[in-house]
Amino acid sequence: MNRLPRLFLTAMLLASPAVGATDVSMMDGAIRFAVPDQWVPIMQSAGEKETQVFQVPGASATDATLARVTVTAQKVPNLNGFQQFAGNLRSHATSLTEYAPAKASSPTENVYTAKEGTVKLQYFERYFYSDGYAIQLRCIRPADDARFGATFDKGCAEVAARMPS
């Protein structure tokens, strides 16, 4: 193979955002994003509201069981429908055991802690509105594992950056 085409192909592979990521499609292909390859799909639902759930392997067995990312999408008629979608999900969060709000960095975020069983969890939710779809990205991890938390949060931020908006 000629050196120039080989260099071009290598450069294209390295520049590709899909390297190390799994492509996900929801709502009959209207919503597409990528998640890290290490995330394990554990649940998927289809219908008027679609959900994809990924287990995120962690530093311990507890992290691997509890750390997960959920993407929920629903077709909405307009921006008011998006606000209702986000409001309903935010309202549900306040009913969780030992719900405690934290500081969000934008109006499209919801950050809080709550308990699941005996484990305190950190929740990060981000809401997107794209082409008539309301989307929630919800990242849940144990609150007390700083090293794992940094890696988990980085992966969650990368997925948020890939969400349509």
Side-chain angles (χ1 to χ4, degrees), residues 17-74:
V19 171
T22 300
D23 291 325
V24 178
S25 175
M26 296 177 72
M27 306 304 288
D28 292 324
I31 299 171
R32 295 179 178 278
F33 56 94
V35 299
D37 280 339
Q38 310 88 295
W39 291 11
V40 180
I42 58 172
M43 192 198 90
Q44 176 180 346
S45 70
E48 287 185 36
K49 184 187 274 187
E50 290 189 13
T51 302
Q52 296 261 349
V53 182
F54 302 90
Q55 181 179 10
V56 180
S60 70
T62 301
D63 292 341
T65 301
L66 298 172
R68 61 194 179 276
V69 174
T70 303
V71 179
T72 302
Q74 180 177 334

Side-chain angles (χ1 to χ4, degrees), residues 1-154:
M1 180 181 238
N2 187 329
R3 181 176 161 89
L4 186 57
R6 191 177 321 148
L7 285 173
F8 177 73
L9 287 173
T10 302
M12 291 302 290
L13 282 173
L14 293 174
S16 172
V19 171
T22 300
D23 291 325
V24 178
S25 175
M26 296 177 72
M27 306 304 288
D28 292 324
I31 299 171
R32 295 179 178 278
F33 56 94
V35 299
D37 280 339
Q38 310 88 295
W39 291 11
V40 180
I42 58 172
M43 192 198 90
Q44 176 180 346
S45 70
E48 287 185 36
K49 184 187 274 187
E50 290 189 13
T51 302
Q52 296 261 349
V53 182
F54 302 90
Q55 181 179 10
V56 180
S60 70
T62 301
D63 292 341
T65 301
L66 298 172
R68 61 194 179 276
V69 174
T70 303
V71 179
T72 302
Q74 180 177 334
K75 181 83 169 154
V76 292
N78 52 35
L79 193 53
N80 287 337
F82 166 73
Q83 291 170 335
Q84 183 177 4
F85 169 87
N88 288 343
L89 291 172
R90 287 175 190 251
S91 177
H92 174 73
T94 63
S95 68
L96 296 174
T97 303
E98 295 187 31
Y99 168 85
K103 185 173 167 82
S105 61
S106 83
T108 60
E109 291 180 359
N110 189 24
V111 181
Y112 57 97
T113 58
K115 272 197 156 175
E116 186 174 284
T118 60
V119 180
K120 184 177 180 181
L121 299 173
Q122 176 73 43
Y123 292 76
F124 171 81
E125 299 172 350
R126 179 114 184 251
Y127 296 89
F128 304 88
Y129 180 66
S130 177
D131 292 328
Y133 290 94
I135 306 164
Q136 179 203 50
L137 170 65
R138 186 179 196 213
C139 302
I140 308 165
R141 65 171 174 80
D144 299 328
D145 187 340
R147 186 174 61 173
F148 170 71
T151 302
F152 179 89
D153 293 349
K154 181 178 182 237

